[in-house]
Each structure stands twice: as C-alpha cells, then as structure tokens.
Amino acid sequence: MAEGHLTDEQTAALREWIEEGSHLRTLQHEAKQTKRLEALRTLAGEHGELQNERARLAAVHAEQESAAKDAENRADDVRDRVQRTETRLNEGTGLTSRDLMGLQDEIAGLRERIDLIEGEQVEALEAAESTASQLAETTAKAEEVAARGRDLQAERGREGERLSGEIAVVERNRAALLERIPADLHERLRAEGAYPAAAVVTAGSCGA
C-alpha cells in the first residue's frame, strides 16, 4: 500500500480504531470466562463423585436393611418353633421323661439361636443407621455443590450478557470509526486482522 496522507481527523479515527481493536480483543478474551469454566468443571467433577458415593451408600444401606429384615424373619421362625415345642412339652401327651428333657434342651438351644439372630439384627440395624447418616451427609454435600454450580452458572450467564453488550458497542464504534478512515485502507485493515500495519501512524500518514 502506498503511503497516503491522512487528515488529522482521519489519523485520530485510525488511532482510535486501533485502540478499540485492542479493547475488543480484551473483551473477547474476558468473554471466554476461563476461570469460571474451570471452576464449573471442578464442581461438576466433585458433584459426580458425590453422586457416585450416594449411589454406593444407598446400595449398602439397602443391603443392611435387607439383612436386618432377614434376621427378624429368621428370629420369628425360630420363635414359632419354640412356641410349638413348648406346646408339646406342656401337653406331654405320650412323652417319656427322656422325651421331655429332650424338648427342654431343644427349647434352650432355640432360645440361644434367637439371641444370636437378634444380635445379628441389631448389628445390621446399627450399620444401616450409620450408613443412613453418611448418606444424608453426602446428599447434603452434593446439593451444596450443585447449588454452587447453579450460582456460578448464573453468574457466568450475567457476565456473558454484560460482555456481549460491551462487545457489540465496541464493534459498532469500530464500524463508525472505519467510516471516517479512507476507503482504500479498509481492505488492508480488515485483512491484517488484530495487528494491522496501520498501527504505525505518524504525522497524518499511514506507512506501509
């Protein structure tokens, strides 16, 4: 491009157009909101881990409650056997002394079995209670992380809207400034992108 003379107004417009270009690049970089995106990714990862832990704890809790229920059912079955055996013992019909002693021993053994099963039931219930507490705590953490994520996403949205508005204003300003610059410079200014040779502006001239 041959060196061309610019008026003071054109030179000022060109300088301002270049400055606005720098401002535009800054805004476009800010619009990427890199830090917020990284924070959102971190929160998403943390939330995913907490959700996986919730699922694991929920499965464990279900198993523990099932074990407690199974123990309760087994204990009830043994109690039924005790009741039936006690009925036979109390009736004593056709039983010898040896038979009666055998039934008493059987009842004693069944009662010991009930004690063991009830112990298993208590352990399962206590474990389920502990797991339920962990599950509630993990759920609360997951909800807190999710809330932080929603807040940050909303903040990112608001900031994105603000920056989009500023970018639109700068782009309109640059378009208006470009109209004040000689048309024969427009193609080169656009072609050379972010850092045009027009950055070298001296004494009312634009050097190639």
Side-chain angles (χ1 to χ4, degrees):
M1 178 177 67
E3 182 175 308
H5 183 75
L6 302 176
T7 65
D8 289 345
E9 181 182 352
Q10 291 171 335
T11 299
L14 180 55
R15 289 184 182 278
E16 189 174 348
W17 185 86
I18 294 169
E19 290 172 359
E20 285 288 84
S22 176
H23 184 200
L24 179 61
R25 291 190 296 276
T26 298
L27 290 173
Q28 289 171 334
H29 177 73
E30 290 179 6
K32 295 177 182 178
Q33 300 192 62
T34 305
K35 289 184 178 180
R36 285 190 178 91
L37 283 175
E38 290 176 353
L40 282 170
R41 291 191 188 100
T42 298
L43 287 173
E46 185 178 348
H47 187 261
E49 291 176 358
L50 288 168
Q51 289 291 74
N52 290 338
E53 180 63 5
R54 284 183 70 243
R56 186 190 70 81
L57 288 170
V60 171
H61 184 256
E63 290 177 0
Q64 291 166 337
E65 286 196 322
S66 177
K69 184 63 177 177
D70 177 68
E72 180 182 2
N73 292 336
R74 287 186 287 120
D76 286 342
D77 290 341
V78 178
R79 291 189 189 96
D80 288 341
R81 288 181 59 189
V82 169
Q83 185 176 3
R84 291 194 301 270
T85 305
E86 286 180 335
T87 298
R88 288 182 60 199
L89 178 63
N90 293 334
E91 290 176 352
T93 305
L95 299 177
T96 65
S97 297
R98 185 173 182 178
D99 292 334
L100 294 174
M101 291 180 62
L103 290 175
Q104 289 175 339
D105 290 340
E106 182 180 347
I107 291 170
L110 290 172
R111 291 192 183 282
E112 289 180 1
R113 178 61 180 160
I114 290 172
D115 289 341
L116 289 174
I117 295 174
E118 287 179 339
E120 294 174 5
Q121 182 183 10
V122 169
E123 289 179 3
L125 288 172
E126 289 177 345
E129 183 178 355
S130 176
T131 301
S133 177
Q134 294 177 54
L135 179 58
E137 182 179 349
T138 302
T139 298
K141 287 181 180 179
E143 290 174 351
E144 188 269 337
V145 169
R148 285 164 54 197
R150 288 192 296 271
D151 290 344
L152 185 57
Q153 186 63 49
E155 179 182 312
R156 179 173 177 270
R158 290 191 298 271
E159 183 67 2
E161 290 180 4
R162 182 187 71 80
L163 289 168
S164 292
E166 290 192 19
I167 287 172
V169 170
V170 172
E171 288 177 337
R172 286 195 297 271
N173 290 344
R174 292 192 86 211
L177 288 166
L178 196 62
E179 294 302 314
R180 293 163 52 190
I181 300 171
D184 60 349
L185 297 180
H186 292 187
E187 183 177 352
R188 182 170 181 181
L189 291 176
R190 293 192 181 101
E192 296 190 0
Y195 303 98
V200 183
V201 181
T202 59
S205 65
C206 177

